[in-house]
């Protein structure tokens, strides 16, 4: 198994996700969060285990931060401008990510989409190449598309986690399914693949921190969230609160 020590602390992790510019467009990057330097500063000052970027931002901004924080490059992406069944294909190779200084690569699979097979195939290839470069692979395992009635039901979230294990992901990034108990089932389904939480739209601090308490009690290793940190008035304050739960 790949060594995750570069992107974990005592087996636990807090990652800052910032690949939203492509997924959601700048509408979600309100105020200072439009500036990649602002986010990278939050990540460094907040003591994050890694920052998650697409290759364009990594190329232009990460060189100044290379010694300060590990990088996770998200290898595929899609805009929200296309209708129909979700398909996100590779826009960056594993070799390019390694060249950019990545410690790990990420890839989203929209399970249940009519295009699922395309993403599963790419994921398999990425796994193989990442092993050659000694990089960890993080699977954004997101059930989505018209076949998926409820993308955060306990069954579907556990299914997504399990697919990550079956595909060889080192870490899966999954949505919350509503309770500590059901998340524990997803962690169990993921087996030796580690589990991190994917955040979602901004919610009140108390609600968000309760979710983090639940996923950690369920056996997750941490979080890979974006909006619930950098859309907050004080991203460093919420970061501290999240870290107190993850690393306690
Ligand atoms: P958030 O914590 O802001 O939800 O970020 C996690 C993430 O997976 C990002 O990496 C990605 O850009 C975004 O969510 C995708 O959002 P959506 O679920 O709306 O496609």
């Amino acid at each position: 198994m790949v060594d995750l020590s570069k992107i974990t602390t005592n087996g636990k992790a807090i990652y800052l996700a910032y690949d939203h510019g492509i997924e959601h467009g700048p509408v979600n990057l309100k105020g200072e969060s439009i500036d990649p330097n602002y986010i990278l500063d939050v990540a460094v000052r907040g003591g994050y285990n890694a920052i998650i970027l697409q290759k364009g931002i990594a190329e232009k901004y990460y060189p100044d931060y290379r010694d300060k924080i590990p990088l996770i490059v998200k290898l595929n992406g899609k805009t929200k401008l296309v209708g129909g069944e979700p398909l996100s294909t590779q826009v960056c190779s594993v070799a390019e990510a390694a060249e950019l200084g990545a410690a790990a690569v990420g890839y989203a699979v929209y399970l249940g989409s009519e295009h699922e097979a395309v993403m599963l195939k790419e994921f398999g290839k990425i796994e193989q190449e990442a092993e050659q470069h000694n990089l960890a692979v993080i699977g954004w395992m997101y059930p989505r598309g018209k076949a998926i009635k409820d993308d955060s039901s306990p069954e579907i979230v556990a299914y997504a986690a399990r697919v990550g294990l079956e595909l060889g992901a080192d870490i899966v990034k999954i949505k919350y399914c509503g309770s500590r108990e059901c998340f524990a089932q997803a962690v169990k389904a993921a087996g030796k693949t580690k589990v991190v939480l994917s955040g979602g739209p901004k919610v009140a601090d108390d609600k968000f921190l309760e979710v983090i308490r639940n996923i950690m009690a369920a056996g997750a290793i941490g979080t890979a969230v974006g909006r619930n940190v950098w859309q907050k008035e004080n991203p460093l304050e919420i970061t501290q609160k999240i870290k107190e739960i993850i690393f306690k």
Side-chain angles (χ1 to χ4, degrees), residues 200-231:
K202 184 172 81 168
V203 294
D205 287 7
D206 288 359
K207 198 174 164 197
F208 186 59
L209 294 171
E210 186 56 23
V211 170
I212 295 173
R213 270 183 218 104
N214 286 338
I215 61 115
M216 293 310 292
I221 66 158
T223 55
V225 311
R227 287 167 284 178
N228 272 289
V229 172
W230 44 254
Q231 280 185 351

PDB file of all heavy atoms in Angstrom, residues 200-231:
ATOM      1  N   GLY A 200     -19.919  19.791   0.832  1.00  0.00           N
ATOM      2  CA  GLY A 200     -21.217  20.266   0.349  1.00  0.00           C
ATOM      3  C   GLY A 200     -21.383  21.752   0.610  1.00  0.00           C
ATOM      4  O   GLY A 200     -20.462  22.410   1.102  1.00  0.00           O
ATOM      5  N   PRO A 201     -22.573  22.282   0.279  1.00  0.00           N
ATOM      6  CA  PRO A 201     -22.816  23.718   0.444  1.00  0.00           C
ATOM      7  C   PRO A 201     -22.656  24.161   1.897  1.00  0.00           C
ATOM      8  O   PRO A 201     -22.807  23.356   2.815  1.00  0.00           O
ATOM      9  CB  PRO A 201     -24.270  23.886  -0.009  1.00  0.00           C
ATOM     10  CG  PRO A 201     -24.579  22.670  -0.794  1.00  0.00           C
ATOM     11  CD  PRO A 201     -23.711  21.567  -0.295  1.00  0.00           C
ATOM     12  N   LYS A 202     -22.387  25.463   2.050  1.00  0.00           N
ATOM     13  CA  LYS A 202     -22.140  26.006   3.392  1.00  0.00           C
ATOM     14  C   LYS A 202     -23.356  25.840   4.304  1.00  0.00           C
ATOM     15  O   LYS A 202     -24.483  26.118   3.898  1.00  0.00           O
ATOM     16  CB  LYS A 202     -21.787  27.494   3.262  1.00  0.00           C
ATOM     17  CG  LYS A 202     -21.428  28.129   4.583  1.00  0.00           C
ATOM     18  CD  LYS A 202     -20.895  29.523   4.407  1.00  0.00           C
ATOM     19  CE  LYS A 202     -22.012  30.533   4.228  1.00  0.00           C
ATOM     20  NZ  LYS A 202     -21.547  31.921   4.333  1.00  0.00           N
ATOM     21  N   VAL A 203     -23.107  25.367   5.517  1.00  0.00           N
ATOM     22  CA  VAL A 203     -24.157  25.277   6.542  1.00  0.00           C
ATOM     23  C   VAL A 203     -23.639  25.959   7.809  1.00  0.00           C
ATOM     24  O   VAL A 203     -22.462  26.317   7.880  1.00  0.00           O
ATOM     25  CB  VAL A 203     -24.547  23.798   6.852  1.00  0.00           C
ATOM     26  CG1 VAL A 203     -25.191  23.135   5.651  1.00  0.00           C
ATOM     27  CG2 VAL A 203     -23.328  22.985   7.311  1.00  0.00           C
ATOM     28  N   ALA A 204     -24.498  26.086   8.813  1.00  0.00           N
ATOM     29  CA  ALA A 204     -24.084  26.723  10.074  1.00  0.00           C
ATOM     30  C   ALA A 204     -22.953  25.922  10.720  1.00  0.00           C
ATOM     31  O   ALA A 204     -22.921  24.689  10.622  1.00  0.00           O
ATOM     32  CB  ALA A 204     -25.271  26.799  11.022  1.00  0.00           C
ATOM     33  N   ASP A 205     -22.061  26.636  11.403  1.00  0.00           N
ATOM     34  CA  ASP A 205     -20.893  25.992  12.022  1.00  0.00           C
ATOM     35  C   ASP A 205     -21.271  24.789  12.897  1.00  0.00           C
ATOM     36  O   ASP A 205     -20.665  23.722  12.790  1.00  0.00           O
ATOM     37  CB  ASP A 205     -20.136  26.991  12.914  1.00  0.00           C
ATOM     38  CG  ASP A 205     -19.372  28.005  12.078  1.00  0.00           C
ATOM     39  OD1 ASP A 205     -19.539  28.009  10.845  1.00  0.00           O
ATOM     40  OD2 ASP A 205     -18.618  28.794  12.676  1.00  0.00           O
ATOM     41  N   ASP A 206     -22.248  24.979  13.773  1.00  0.00           N
ATOM     42  CA  ASP A 206     -22.607  23.909  14.721  1.00  0.00           C
ATOM     43  C   ASP A 206     -22.996  22.635  13.995  1.00  0.00           C
ATOM     44  O   ASP A 206     -22.596  21.536  14.367  1.00  0.00           O
ATOM     45  CB  ASP A 206     -23.814  24.335  15.575  1.00  0.00           C
ATOM     46  CG  ASP A 206     -23.403  25.387  16.564  1.00  0.00           C
ATOM     47  OD1 ASP A 206     -22.201  25.737  16.581  1.00  0.00           O
ATOM     48  OD2 ASP A 206     -24.280  25.857  17.315  1.00  0.00           O
ATOM     49  N   LYS A 207     -23.799  22.829  12.943  1.00  0.00           N
ATOM     50  CA  LYS A 207     -24.280  21.682  12.179  1.00  0.00           C
ATOM     51  C   LYS A 207     -23.102  20.963  11.511  1.00  0.00           C
ATOM     52  O   LYS A 207     -22.990  19.737  11.529  1.00  0.00           O
ATOM     53  CB  LYS A 207     -25.278  22.184  11.117  1.00  0.00           C
ATOM     54  CG  LYS A 207     -26.157  21.111  10.572  1.00  0.00           C
ATOM     55  CD  LYS A 207     -27.217  21.693   9.649  1.00  0.00           C
ATOM     56  CE  LYS A 207     -27.812  20.555   8.840  1.00  0.00           C
ATOM     57  NZ  LYS A 207     -28.523  21.013   7.673  1.00  0.00           N
ATOM     58  N   PHE A 208     -22.226  21.764  10.937  1.00  0.00           N
ATOM     59  CA  PHE A 208     -21.074  21.201  10.228  1.00  0.00           C
ATOM     60  C   PHE A 208     -20.137  20.462  11.190  1.00  0.00           C
ATOM     61  O   PHE A 208     -19.682  19.349  10.911  1.00  0.00           O
ATOM     62  CB  PHE A 208     -20.340  22.328   9.502  1.00  0.00           C
ATOM     63  CG  PHE A 208     -19.225  21.849   8.636  1.00  0.00           C
ATOM     64  CD1 PHE A 208     -19.472  20.952   7.606  1.00  0.00           C
ATOM     65  CD2 PHE A 208     -17.922  22.260   8.866  1.00  0.00           C
ATOM     66  CE1 PHE A 208     -18.434  20.480   6.813  1.00  0.00           C
ATOM     67  CE2 PHE A 208     -16.884  21.799   8.072  1.00  0.00           C
ATOM     68  CZ  PHE A 208     -17.140  20.909   7.046  1.00  0.00           C
ATOM     69  N   LEU A 209     -19.887  21.062  12.347  1.00  0.00           N
ATOM     70  CA  LEU A 209     -18.968  20.439  13.310  1.00  0.00           C
ATOM     71  C   LEU A 209     -19.569  19.146  13.874  1.00  0.00           C
ATOM     72  O   LEU A 209     -18.846  18.187  14.152  1.00  0.00           O
ATOM     73  CB  LEU A 209     -18.626  21.427  14.430  1.00  0.00           C
ATOM     74  CG  LEU A 209     -17.816  22.654  13.957  1.00  0.00           C
ATOM     75  CD1 LEU A 209     -17.699  23.695  15.056  1.00  0.00           C
ATOM     76  CD2 LEU A 209     -16.421  22.251  13.459  1.00  0.00           C
ATOM     77  N   GLU A 210     -20.885  19.109  13.989  1.00  0.00           N
ATOM     78  CA  GLU A 210     -21.547  17.883  14.456  1.00  0.00           C
ATOM     79  C   GLU A 210     -21.337  16.746  13.445  1.00  0.00           C
ATOM     80  O   GLU A 210     -21.083  15.600  13.807  1.00  0.00           O
ATOM     81  CB  GLU A 210     -23.053  18.176  14.671  1.00  0.00           C
ATOM     82  CG  GLU A 210     -23.855  17.053  15.297  1.00  0.00           C
ATOM     83  CD  GLU A 210     -23.298  16.576  16.645  1.00  0.00           C
ATOM     84  OE1 GLU A 210     -22.591  17.342  17.319  1.00  0.00           O
ATOM     85  OE2 GLU A 210     -23.557  15.401  16.986  1.00  0.00           O
ATOM     86  N   VAL A 211     -21.428  17.101  12.158  1.00  0.00           N
ATOM     87  CA  VAL A 211     -21.176  16.096  11.112  1.00  0.00           C
ATOM     88  C   VAL A 211     -19.737  15.563  11.245  1.00  0.00           C
ATOM     89  O   VAL A 211     -19.491  14.354  11.171  1.00  0.00           O
ATOM     90  CB  VAL A 211     -21.399  16.703   9.700  1.00  0.00           C
ATOM     91  CG1 VAL A 211     -20.904  15.770   8.615  1.00  0.00           C
ATOM     92  CG2 VAL A 211     -22.874  17.025   9.499  1.00  0.00           C
ATOM     93  N   ILE A 212     -18.816  16.464  11.495  1.00  0.00           N
ATOM     94  CA  ILE A 212     -17.410  16.030  11.603  1.00  0.00           C
ATOM     95  C   ILE A 212     -17.213  15.127  12.824  1.00  0.00           C
ATOM     96  O   ILE A 212     -16.532  14.111  12.747  1.00  0.00           O
ATOM     97  CB  ILE A 212     -16.462  17.240  11.594  1.00  0.00           C
ATOM     98  CG1 ILE A 212     -16.602  17.904  10.218  1.00  0.00           C
ATOM     99  CG2 ILE A 212     -15.014  16.822  11.812  1.00  0.00           C
ATOM    100  CD1 ILE A 212     -15.903  19.180  10.061  1.00  0.00           C
ATOM    101  N   ARG A 213     -17.859  15.490  13.940  1.00  0.00           N
ATOM    102  CA  ARG A 213     -17.780  14.601  15.123  1.00  0.00           C
ATOM    103  C   ARG A 213     -18.296  13.218  14.751  1.00  0.00           C
ATOM    104  O   ARG A 213     -17.698  12.202  15.104  1.00  0.00           O
ATOM    105  CB  ARG A 213     -18.649  15.158  16.262  1.00  0.00           C
ATOM    106  CG  ARG A 213     -17.878  16.072  17.142  1.00  0.00           C
ATOM    107  CD  ARG A 213     -18.693  16.594  18.319  1.00  0.00           C
ATOM    108  NE  ARG A 213     -18.299  17.965  18.509  1.00  0.00           N
ATOM    109  CZ  ARG A 213     -19.006  19.039  18.157  1.00  0.00           C
ATOM    110  NH1 ARG A 213     -20.212  18.911  17.650  1.00  0.00           N
ATOM    111  NH2 ARG A 213     -18.526  20.250  18.314  1.00  0.00           N
ATOM    112  N   ASN A 214     -19.388  13.162  14.000  1.00  0.00           N
ATOM    113  CA  ASN A 214     -19.995  11.879  13.652  1.00  0.00           C
ATOM    114  C   ASN A 214     -19.114  11.061  12.710  1.00  0.00           C
ATOM    115  O   ASN A 214     -18.950   9.858  12.905  1.00  0.00           O
ATOM    116  CB  ASN A 214     -21.376  12.092  13.025  1.00  0.00           C
ATOM    117  CG  ASN A 214     -22.393  12.475  14.069  1.00  0.00           C
ATOM    118  OD1 ASN A 214     -22.201  12.203  15.253  1.00  0.00           O
ATOM    119  ND2 ASN A 214     -23.472  13.107  13.656  1.00  0.00           N
ATOM    120  N   ILE A 215     -18.550  11.706  11.707  1.00  0.00           N
ATOM    121  CA  ILE A 215     -17.752  10.907  10.750  1.00  0.00           C
ATOM    122  C   ILE A 215     -16.454  10.416  11.396  1.00  0.00           C
ATOM    123  O   ILE A 215     -15.986   9.331  11.099  1.00  0.00           O
ATOM    124  CB  ILE A 215     -17.481  11.662   9.414  1.00  0.00           C
ATOM    125  CG1 ILE A 215     -16.686  12.958   9.615  1.00  0.00           C
ATOM    126  CG2 ILE A 215     -18.786  11.946   8.665  1.00  0.00           C
ATOM    127  CD1 ILE A 215     -15.351  12.957   9.006  1.00  0.00           C
ATOM    128  N   MET A 216     -15.919  11.204  12.313  1.00  0.00           N
ATOM    129  CA  MET A 216     -14.691  10.761  12.985  1.00  0.00           C
ATOM    130  C   MET A 216     -15.016   9.595  13.930  1.00  0.00           C
ATOM    131  O   MET A 216     -14.270   8.618  13.990  1.00  0.00           O
ATOM    132  CB  MET A 216     -14.024  11.916  13.739  1.00  0.00           C
ATOM    133  CG  MET A 216     -13.471  13.018  12.834  1.00  0.00           C
ATOM    134  SD  MET A 216     -12.422  12.446  11.461  1.00  0.00           S
ATOM    135  CE  MET A 216     -10.989  11.827  12.331  1.00  0.00           C
ATOM    136  N   ALA A 217     -16.138   9.700  14.631  1.00  0.00           N
ATOM    137  CA  ALA A 217     -16.539   8.596  15.519  1.00  0.00           C
ATOM    138  C   ALA A 217     -16.836   7.344  14.697  1.00  0.00           C
ATOM    139  O   ALA A 217     -16.701   6.218  15.177  1.00  0.00           O
ATOM    140  CB  ALA A 217     -17.765   8.991  16.329  1.00  0.00           C
ATOM    141  N   ALA A 218     -17.221   7.550  13.439  1.00  0.00           N
ATOM    142  CA  ALA A 218     -17.542   6.423  12.552  1.00  0.00           C
ATOM    143  C   ALA A 218     -16.292   5.785  11.936  1.00  0.00           C
ATOM    144  O   ALA A 218     -16.394   4.767  11.250  1.00  0.00           O
ATOM    145  CB  ALA A 218     -18.484   6.895  11.445  1.00  0.00           C
ATOM    146  N   GLY A 219     -15.136   6.408  12.146  1.00  0.00           N
ATOM    147  CA  GLY A 219     -13.901   5.789  11.634  1.00  0.00           C
ATOM    148  C   GLY A 219     -13.282   6.462  10.422  1.00  0.00           C
ATOM    149  O   GLY A 219     -12.325   5.932   9.846  1.00  0.00           O
ATOM    150  N   ALA A 220     -13.815   7.614  10.037  1.00  0.00           N
ATOM    151  CA  ALA A 220     -13.183   8.365   8.926  1.00  0.00           C
ATOM    152  C   ALA A 220     -11.825   8.884   9.393  1.00  0.00           C
ATOM    153  O   ALA A 220     -11.575   8.985  10.602  1.00  0.00           O
ATOM    154  CB  ALA A 220     -14.076   9.532   8.521  1.00  0.00           C
ATOM    155  N   ILE A 221     -10.947   9.222   8.419  1.00  0.00           N
ATOM    156  CA  ILE A 221      -9.655   9.793   8.831  1.00  0.00           C
ATOM    157  C   ILE A 221      -9.688  11.321   8.811  1.00  0.00           C
ATOM    158  O   ILE A 221      -8.765  11.964   9.291  1.00  0.00           O
ATOM    159  CB  ILE A 221      -8.466   9.273   7.986  1.00  0.00           C
ATOM    160  CG1 ILE A 221      -8.550   9.737   6.520  1.00  0.00           C
ATOM    161  CG2 ILE A 221      -8.325   7.760   8.098  1.00  0.00           C
ATOM    162  CD1 ILE A 221      -7.198   9.722   5.817  1.00  0.00           C
ATOM    163  N   GLY A 222     -10.725  11.921   8.230  1.00  0.00           N
ATOM    164  CA  GLY A 222     -10.769  13.378   8.217  1.00  0.00           C
ATOM    165  C   GLY A 222     -11.691  13.942   7.159  1.00  0.00           C
ATOM    166  O   GLY A 222     -12.681  13.310   6.769  1.00  0.00           O
ATOM    167  N   THR A 223     -11.319  15.130   6.685  1.00  0.00           N
ATOM    168  CA  THR A 223     -12.200  15.874   5.784  1.00  0.00           C
ATOM    169  C   THR A 223     -11.452  16.376   4.548  1.00  0.00           C
ATOM    170  O   THR A 223     -10.241  16.597   4.580  1.00  0.00           O
ATOM    171  CB  THR A 223     -12.773  17.117   6.507  1.00  0.00           C
ATOM    172  OG1 THR A 223     -11.681  17.894   7.004  1.00  0.00           O
ATOM    173  CG2 THR A 223     -13.670  16.743   7.658  1.00  0.00           C
ATOM    174  N   ALA A 224     -12.200  16.552   3.474  1.00  0.00           N
ATOM    175  CA  ALA A 224     -11.668  17.196   2.261  1.00  0.00           C
ATOM    176  C   ALA A 224     -12.751  18.155   1.801  1.00  0.00           C
ATOM    177  O   ALA A 224     -13.502  17.866   0.869  1.00  0.00           O
ATOM    178  CB  ALA A 224     -11.364  16.158   1.192  1.00  0.00           C
ATOM    179  N   VAL A 225     -12.878  19.267   2.515  1.00  0.00           N
ATOM    180  CA  VAL A 225     -13.971  20.184   2.245  1.00  0.00           C
ATOM    181  C   VAL A 225     -13.461  21.530   1.754  1.00  0.00           C
ATOM    182  O   VAL A 225     -12.284  21.860   1.916  1.00  0.00           O
ATOM    183  CB  VAL A 225     -14.886  20.370   3.489  1.00  0.00           C
ATOM    184  CG1 VAL A 225     -15.290  19.044   4.093  1.00  0.00           C
ATOM    185  CG2 VAL A 225     -14.233  21.239   4.525  1.00  0.00           C
ATOM    186  N   GLY A 226     -14.342  22.279   1.154  1.00  0.00           N
ATOM    187  CA  GLY A 226     -13.990  23.590   0.625  1.00  0.00           C
ATOM    188  C   GLY A 226     -14.911  24.675   1.142  1.00  0.00           C
ATOM    189  O   GLY A 226     -14.559  25.471   2.009  1.00  0.00           O
ATOM    190  N   ARG A 227     -16.150  24.660   0.622  1.00  0.00           N
ATOM    191  CA  ARG A 227     -17.062  25.772   0.888  1.00  0.00           C
ATOM    192  C   ARG A 227     -17.318  26.020   2.362  1.00  0.00           C
ATOM    193  O   ARG A 227     -17.471  27.154   2.780  1.00  0.00           O
ATOM    194  CB  ARG A 227     -18.395  25.528   0.162  1.00  0.00           C
ATOM    195  CG  ARG A 227     -18.283  25.728  -1.328  1.00  0.00           C
ATOM    196  CD  ARG A 227     -19.484  25.180  -2.061  1.00  0.00           C
ATOM    197  NE  ARG A 227     -19.455  23.730  -2.149  1.00  0.00           N
ATOM    198  CZ  ARG A 227     -20.404  22.985  -2.708  1.00  0.00           C
ATOM    199  NH1 ARG A 227     -21.464  23.573  -3.201  1.00  0.00           N
ATOM    200  NH2 ARG A 227     -20.282  21.679  -2.773  1.00  0.00           N
ATOM    201  N   ASN A 228     -17.379  24.949   3.169  1.00  0.00           N
ATOM    202  CA  ASN A 228     -17.635  25.144   4.594  1.00  0.00           C
ATOM    203  C   ASN A 228     -16.432  25.695   5.348  1.00  0.00           C
ATOM    204  O   ASN A 228     -16.496  25.885   6.564  1.00  0.00           O
ATOM    205  CB  ASN A 228     -18.145  23.852   5.240  1.00  0.00           C
ATOM    206  CG  ASN A 228     -19.649  23.760   5.117  1.00  0.00           C
ATOM    207  OD1 ASN A 228     -20.375  24.506   5.768  1.00  0.00           O
ATOM    208  ND2 ASN A 228     -20.113  22.891   4.224  1.00  0.00           N
ATOM    209  N   VAL A 229     -15.356  25.938   4.626  1.00  0.00           N
ATOM    210  CA  VAL A 229     -14.207  26.625   5.231  1.00  0.00           C
ATOM    211  C   VAL A 229     -14.068  28.017   4.610  1.00  0.00           C
ATOM    212  O   VAL A 229     -14.212  29.029   5.264  1.00  0.00           O
ATOM    213  CB  VAL A 229     -12.903  25.813   5.048  1.00  0.00           C
ATOM    214  CG1 VAL A 229     -11.705  26.636   5.496  1.00  0.00           C
ATOM    215  CG2 VAL A 229     -12.984  24.510   5.816  1.00  0.00           C
ATOM    216  N   TRP A 230     -13.784  28.051   3.279  1.00  0.00           N
ATOM    217  CA  TRP A 230     -13.417  29.347   2.709  1.00  0.00           C
ATOM    218  C   TRP A 230     -14.592  30.262   2.373  1.00  0.00           C
ATOM    219  O   TRP A 230     -14.392  31.427   2.069  1.00  0.00           O
ATOM    220  CB  TRP A 230     -12.416  29.227   1.562  1.00  0.00           C
ATOM    221  CG  TRP A 230     -12.656  28.164   0.535  1.00  0.00           C
ATOM    222  CD1 TRP A 230     -11.955  26.992   0.420  1.00  0.00           C
ATOM    223  CD2 TRP A 230     -13.610  28.157  -0.539  1.00  0.00           C
ATOM    224  NE1 TRP A 230     -12.425  26.264  -0.647  1.00  0.00           N
ATOM    225  CE2 TRP A 230     -13.437  26.955  -1.255  1.00  0.00           C
ATOM    226  CE3 TRP A 230     -14.600  29.043  -0.963  1.00  0.00           C
ATOM    227  CZ2 TRP A 230     -14.205  26.607  -2.374  1.00  0.00           C
ATOM    228  CZ3 TRP A 230     -15.384  28.708  -2.065  1.00  0.00           C
ATOM    229  CH2 TRP A 230     -15.177  27.509  -2.752  1.00  0.00           C
ATOM    230  N   GLN A 231     -15.829  29.742   2.478  1.00  0.00           N
ATOM    231  CA  GLN A 231     -16.970  30.661   2.350  1.00  0.00           C
ATOM    232  C   GLN A 231     -17.339  31.278   3.700  1.00  0.00           C
ATOM    233  O   GLN A 231     -18.222  32.125   3.785  1.00  0.00           O
ATOM    234  CB  GLN A 231     -18.180  29.937   1.767  1.00  0.00           C
ATOM    235  CG  GLN A 231     -18.122  29.776   0.256  1.00  0.00           C
ATOM    236  CD  GLN A 231     -19.383  29.159  -0.320  1.00  0.00           C
ATOM    237  OE1 GLN A 231     -20.252  28.682   0.406  1.00  0.00           O
ATOM    238  NE2 GLN A 231     -19.484  29.150  -1.636  1.00  0.00           N
TER     239      GLN A 231
END
